Amino acid sequence: MQTHSTTFAQRLALLQQDAIKATLPDIKHGVERETLRVNPNGGLAQTPHAKSLGSALTHDFITTDFSESLLEFITPPETSADLTIAQLQDVHKYTLSKIGQEMLWPMSMPCFITSEDEIPLAQYGTSNIGKMKTLYRQGLKNRYGSMMQAISGVHFNFSLPDSFWQEWIPKCSGEVANKDTISAAYFALIRNYRRFCWLLPYLYGASPALCSSFIKNKATTLPFNTLGKGTYYLPYATSLRMSDLGYTNSAQSGLAVCYNDVSTYIKSLRCAINKPSATYEKFASKKDGQYQQLNANVLQIENELYSPIRPKQPTKRLEKPTDALDARGVNYVEVRVLDVNPFSDIGIERNQFFFLDVFLVYCAISPSDFMQTEQYQETEKNLKAVVKEGRDPQLRLLNKGEPTSIPQWAESLFSEMKEVAILLDNVNNTTDYTQAVALEWEKVLHPELTPSAKILDMLLSNSQDNSELGLKFANSYKASLLAKEYQTLSETELREQATLSLSKQQEIEASDTESFDEFLVNYFSSDQKVLAEC
């Protein structure tokens, strides 16, 4: 009879079995790094996406996010952190070589922006799917304002190999490894991530300050201190990007998105996408003959849900993310709480890859009960507390209802994560994982070593504005990246990729056979039956 593993110690012992640990070198990760293009004076670039960078609609590595000025660099899933870093450096170098005097903003919170009208919506051409992508951004602008959408972050994509699940699931739970049980295992990871993800903005948050232009004409109850000509900061903040001011959406706080299994997650997300919103009804009509949003529902599409982690399955052309999850299950998770690392020219440091691998494997193998509403709300409170006051020694988080200090809680997490790191070192013949855990533990013992503390110290000790510091970093990184040699992607390959992407965009535009109105009706037609089920 199969003995199910119910404790961390039992599951760690399973992980140490030869057949299971042999699969761990095949863990894959990819990175999506966002960054604003800025002028030499630090202002937001107003130029369109350079044709020499290719099509933002179809390029494999270089696209745009909300704005024409907001670049996004994407790497494919790889087992080697060093390969991903090299790919990112090559794409950064190529981009910088094509944008003239412009630079890449090295911080999460935006540069100085006089008004939201200076933030141009991203354009993707004349195809229906291209128009839809721009219209979605018009909806975001109308709903939340453009300034919030000018924030940059780093997304870390992580997957365990199928060979791992084929060995792990039968031995851990006695079930057969298939689409449904693998998805359930990823959702167990996600629930643990939600419980412990307050640790990541503590360790990697790098936005304790912001430019005053960001909150111009915005009501806020945050007790900001001021510095220099126009910098606002909170003394113990780690990631204002993740605060209510930043890349979150209070309008979504009432959504009951369920992370207990893939079916309930899909249903709760589909209900939000199909639930009419009285708030957004005011944008339902066309203005000057143009749509103002994709629809007047709580969410226009799945991507509008602001979550610190997402279960993902690569989508086919015009396939909705929930349909992909429903059809093929969870393929990887997307970690979304990482600030741009201002101490790295590519926005993420090598050490982060190894720690995040340890952290996510730990979340995957640790026992993970279903979460009730109160437990989910506790995770939300903890995350909000850390992003605003994570370095305050008086801060107490709620661990199953019990007030707990960050060092106290982190000590128990790190003691178990260290065991995972030792195993990952062993199977990869390295010391990178235990070194990563040791370096991050030092930040727990010494909060002044965290990126948020270091940034704030640089600002205060030099009486320097946040924008001035960002500009200094941007200049330095442009010079260093342009001086590097291409490592994995040559200039010729990247130029060919740009040309190919433009051809692909033209093919998509030429293949359209229906009007944009018809396209939207057809795209959302399958959703009509969902609302009746909610």
Side-chain angles (χ1 to χ4, degrees), residues 318-366:
L318 297 180
E319 185 180 34
K320 299 182 180 71
T322 51
D323 291 344
L325 284 174
D326 201 11
R328 299 183 297 283
V330 182
N331 179 258
Y332 67 98
V333 293
E334 179 188 46
V335 171
R336 298 170 55 83
V337 298
L338 301 177
D339 280 1
V340 173
N341 188 329
F343 299 104
S344 166
D345 57 5
I346 56 172
I348 183 170
E349 290 179 323
R350 185 175 186 271
N351 189 67
Q352 291 179 257
F353 283 81
F354 299 103
F355 182 81
L356 288 168
D357 274 1
V358 172
F359 180 76
L360 291 166
V361 170
Y362 173 71
C363 288
I365 71 165
S366 295

Side-chain angles (χ1 to χ4, degrees), residues 8 74 81 83 112 128-129 135 173 196 240-241 381 479 523:
F8 173 76
I74 302 168
L83 177 55
F112 180 81
N128 285 328
I129 188 63
L135 177 56
S173 65
F196 309 139
L240 292 176
R241 164 183 169 268
K381 289 177 183 176
Y523 183 83

Side-chain angles (χ1 to χ4, degrees), residues 289-324:
Q290 301 295 317
Y291 288 109
Q292 297 188 72
Q293 57 187 353
L294 288 175
N295 53 56
N297 297 333
V298 175
L299 301 178
Q300 298 174 89
I301 56 176
E302 288 97 324
N303 289 349
E304 194 171 336
L305 177 69
Y306 298 129
S307 173
I309 189 170
R310 285 178 181 167
K312 302 280 285 204
Q313 168 65 240
T315 56
K316 301 172 184 178
R317 186 168 182 260
L318 297 180
E319 185 180 34
K320 299 182 180 71
T322 51
D323 291 344

Side-chain angles (χ1 to χ4, degrees), residues 77-143:
E78 305 283 2
T79 57
S80 166
D82 289 325
L83 177 55
T84 296
I85 290 169
Q87 290 168 340
L88 279 171
Q89 289 174 340
D90 289 346
V91 172
H92 279 70
K93 173 183 170 71
Y94 180 80
T95 300
L96 285 164
S97 73
K98 302 301 180 186
I99 58 175
Q101 296 299 306
E102 294 172 0
M103 295 176 292
L104 303 178
W105 191 244
M107 294 178 161
S108 278
M109 299 308 287
C111 56
F112 180 81
I113 301 174
T114 304
S115 80
E116 295 201 348
D117 294 334
E118 289 184 4
I119 306 174
L121 294 181
Q123 303 295 317
Y124 298 95
T126 59
S127 67
N128 285 328
I129 188 63
K131 291 177 182 176
M132 179 181 173
K133 287 171 73 73
T134 298
L135 177 56
Y136 167 58
R137 286 153 175 77
Q138 181 66 53
L140 295 177
K141 175 181 179 180
N142 288 334
R143 292 172 174 220

Side-chain angles (χ1 to χ4, degrees), residues 203 355 406-412 414-415 436-446:
L203 296 175
F355 182 81
I406 283 180
Q408 181 183 355
W409 196 347
E411 184 175 16
S412 65
F414 271 79
S415 67
V437 171
L439 281 169
E440 302 308 335
W441 175 244
E442 286 298 306
K443 293 180 187 175
V444 177
L445 297 177
H446 305 285

